[in-house]
């Protein structure tokens, strides 16, 4: 009898440890990280999506701007089950950007900010679709203009390593 209670208790503890934080919790984590490092949230509006970015409170115009582009985030819950929200559990790219003195962070569509048109295909099978690449290019162009940069350095991995997201 005691053994059954122990197994049930162990199961509950393991289930609690493996639960996925809510989108709001994931967003709060990113905002808190940014604020602790003197960065602020900035939403970039594109033709298709509103994209989350984080920028340093104090950053001056420069010839070169480094943009850290988030990866796929929580695109999949398992090998066969898509996530209903791609906001990263652990914002690794944001953490890397916060270490850079002259950089900004850019999330992919539907991460942190839910825009009209957010569909699971946009962070799975269509993650490099024309509409996603267009939105990312528009956001990169806006950041480039905001900081009066003549050149860019893009840093990303996985879905943040967009082969076609290179603004002129």
């Amino acid at each position: 009898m005691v053994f059954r209670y122990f197994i049930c208790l162990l199961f509950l503890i393991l289930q609690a440890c493996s639960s996925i934080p809510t989108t709001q919790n994931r967003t709060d984590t990113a905002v808190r990280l940014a604020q602790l490092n003197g960065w602020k949230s900035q939403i970039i509006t594109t033709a298709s999506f509103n994209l989350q970015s984080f920028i340093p409170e104090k950053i001056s115009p420069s010839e070169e701007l480094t943009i850290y582009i988030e990866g796929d985030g929580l695109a999949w819950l398992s090998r066969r089950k898509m996530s209903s929200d791609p906001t990263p559990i652990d914002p690794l790219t944001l953490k890397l950007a916060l270490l850079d003195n002259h950089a900004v962070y850019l999330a992919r569509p539907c991460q942190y900010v839910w825009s009209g048109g957010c569909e699971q295909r946009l962070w799975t099978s269509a993650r490099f679709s024309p509409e996603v690449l267009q939105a990312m290019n528009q956001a990169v162009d806006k950041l480039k203009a905001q900081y009066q940069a003549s050149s860019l350095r893009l840093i990303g991995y996985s879905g943040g390593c967009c082969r076609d997201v290179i603004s002129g």
Side-chain angles (χ1 to χ4, degrees), residues 17-126:
C17 291
S18 67
S19 65
I20 297 171
T22 66
T23 301
Q24 189 60 55
N25 287 345
R26 291 179 268 164
T27 300
D28 291 346
T29 296
V31 168
R32 211 172 18 258
L33 272 171
Q35 288 174 340
L36 287 171
N37 287 277
W39 288 40
K40 62 183 177 181
S41 171
Q42 174 179 288
I43 304 298
I44 300 174
T45 302
T46 70
S48 303
F49 307 99
N50 292 327
L51 300 178
Q52 176 68 61
S53 69
F54 291 102
I55 60 174
E57 295 266 353
K58 298 176 183 176
I59 184 173
S60 54
S62 175
E63 263 187 47
E64 182 178 76
L65 176 66
T66 301
I67 301 174
Y68 285 78
I69 301 173
E70 186 58 69
D72 290 330
L74 185 63
W76 296 89
L77 296 174
S78 68
R79 290 182 102 175
R80 298 180 198 268
K81 186 171 182 179
M82 289 182 261
S83 169
S84 62
D85 183 328
T87 300
I89 292 175
D90 179 17
L92 174 64
T93 308
L94 175 59
K95 291 176 182 176
L96 292 172
L98 294 170
L99 297 173
D100 196 327
N101 292 331
H102 198 77
V104 298
Y105 167 87
L106 180 62
R108 292 183 49 79
C110 308
Q111 294 178 338
Y112 303 106
V113 180
W114 201 258
S115 302
C118 282
E119 304 168 3
Q120 288 175 320
R121 68 179 186 81
L122 295 173
W123 53 89
T124 56
S125 62

